[in-house]
Amino acid sequence: MSKELQLEALPKLNEEYALTQEQIASYQMSGHLVLRGVATPEEIQIYEPLLENLVREHNHHTKPVHERDTYGKAFIQVGNLWEMSEEAKRFVLARRFAKIAADLMGVDGVRIYHDQALFKEPGGGHTPWHQDQIYWPLDTRNTITMWMPLVPVSEAVGSMTFVDGSHHHGHITRELISDESHKTLGSYIEAKGLNTVNYGALTAGDATFHSGWTLHSAPGNPTEQMREVMTIIYFADGVRALEPDSKARSNDLNRWLPGVKPGELAASPLNPLVYHRNQS
């Protein structure tokens, strides 16, 4: 079979996933939501080996888990798989996922910021408390991440833990993902008596969605199985880039918004419009 025919045979992931008004309201109030069966078992069975192969090819870790720092222990991290293969592009730019993101945020259209494979190895460490958007030079609160396991995630590994309503707090600390951020934000959560939620075991193709400012963390992986997760980050169409106020945001501006200057529309070739209500 030719490459073109193989690509055409892949599930297009265009069919809509119906959301209720209650789910949308819950997301907007809490800053996080779990949705079951966003991708079907059959779709995951096809895409998982394609994505897993890319992660294996681009894994930069050379040290065993126990010799890495906290960030390195947390996961194998590979960004923008959609640039690496047409198969990954079909998955990441899927209309189904993008429409969910737009519906939850209540916006007309969304663009890709970037995708990330986050594979937590057997024995991998916890992911410290953090807010994603301290890295993103985007002048908006309308950002959202889809976090989808490609394999079943057991109760022992679990999904992420979210802090209810923390996206309304905005920028809490400048600390990047680290032992320091875990301590600082953990103290913040405790001092304010904030409620935390963990959705527990997930099936491959389930997904959580969370706002860019939602505080979250993830436990380590005590099992012998790799926790394979794909994430896709979206932002509302029409958003402008911020003047970076940190090295992390400066790096992100150059990597994920190439050629875009502060104040300009965040719409580089790496940020395609993947869904808009006025387009078929």
Side-chain angles (χ1 to χ4, degrees), residues 164-228:
D164 277 342
S166 54
H167 61 311
H168 297 304
H169 299 201
H171 195 160
I172 298 170
T173 177
R174 289 180 176 272
E175 291 174 357
L176 305 180
I177 303 175
S178 62
D179 294 330
E180 289 72 26
S181 76
H182 197 67
K183 181 178 179 181
T184 298
L185 293 171
S187 297
Y188 178 87
I189 294 163
E190 183 177 357
K192 291 190 172 294
L194 302 176
N195 186 56
T196 62
V197 175
N198 185 292
Y199 294 111
L202 297 178
T203 297
D206 290 346
T208 63
F209 289 78
H210 67 274
S211 168
W213 287 119
T214 298
L215 277 170
H216 60 286
S217 66
N221 181 4
T223 74
E224 295 300 316
Q225 305 300 316
M226 181 79 81
R227 188 211 72 181
E228 300 179 16

Side-chain angles (χ1 to χ4, degrees), residues 93-251:
L93 304 191
R95 184 180 186 276
R96 182 191 306 162
F97 306 155
K99 185 178 186 299
I100 293 172
D103 287 345
L104 290 177
M105 291 191 292
V107 300
D108 289 335
V110 292
R111 292 180 178 273
I112 292 286
Y113 185 52
H114 62 83
D115 71 63
Q116 283 185 321
L118 300 175
F119 283 27
K120 196 176 287 285
E121 299 155 276
H126 74 119
T127 306
W129 286 114
H130 66 283
Q131 294 175 295
D132 295 333
Q133 202 156 332
I134 63 167
Y135 291 90
W136 306 342
L138 296 170
D139 190 13
T140 183
R141 285 177 175 263
N142 286 323
T143 61
I144 192 170
T145 297
M146 182 184 83
W147 189 96
M148 177 181 286
L150 304 176
V151 296
V153 176
S154 69
E155 193 76 32
V157 180
S159 56
M160 292 185 291
T161 299
F162 302 101
V163 179
D164 277 342
S166 54
H167 61 311
H168 297 304
H169 299 201
H171 195 160
I172 298 170
T173 177
R174 289 180 176 272
E175 291 174 357
L176 305 180
I177 303 175
S178 62
D179 294 330
E180 289 72 26
S181 76
H182 197 67
K183 181 178 179 181
T184 298
L185 293 171
S187 297
Y188 178 87
I189 294 163
E190 183 177 357
K192 291 190 172 294
L194 302 176
N195 186 56
T196 62
V197 175
N198 185 292
Y199 294 111
L202 297 178
T203 297
D206 290 346
T208 63
F209 289 78
H210 67 274
S211 168
W213 287 119
T214 298
L215 277 170
H216 60 286
S217 66
N221 181 4
T223 74
E224 295 300 316
Q225 305 300 316
M226 181 79 81
R227 188 211 72 181
E228 300 179 16
V229 167
M230 268 299 293
T231 68
I232 306 172
I233 304 165
Y234 304 90
F235 62 90
D237 182 38
V239 165
R240 295 184 181 274
L242 284 173
E243 180 71 47
D245 55 1
S246 66
K247 183 178 180 181
R249 281 185 164 177
S250 180
N251 290 341

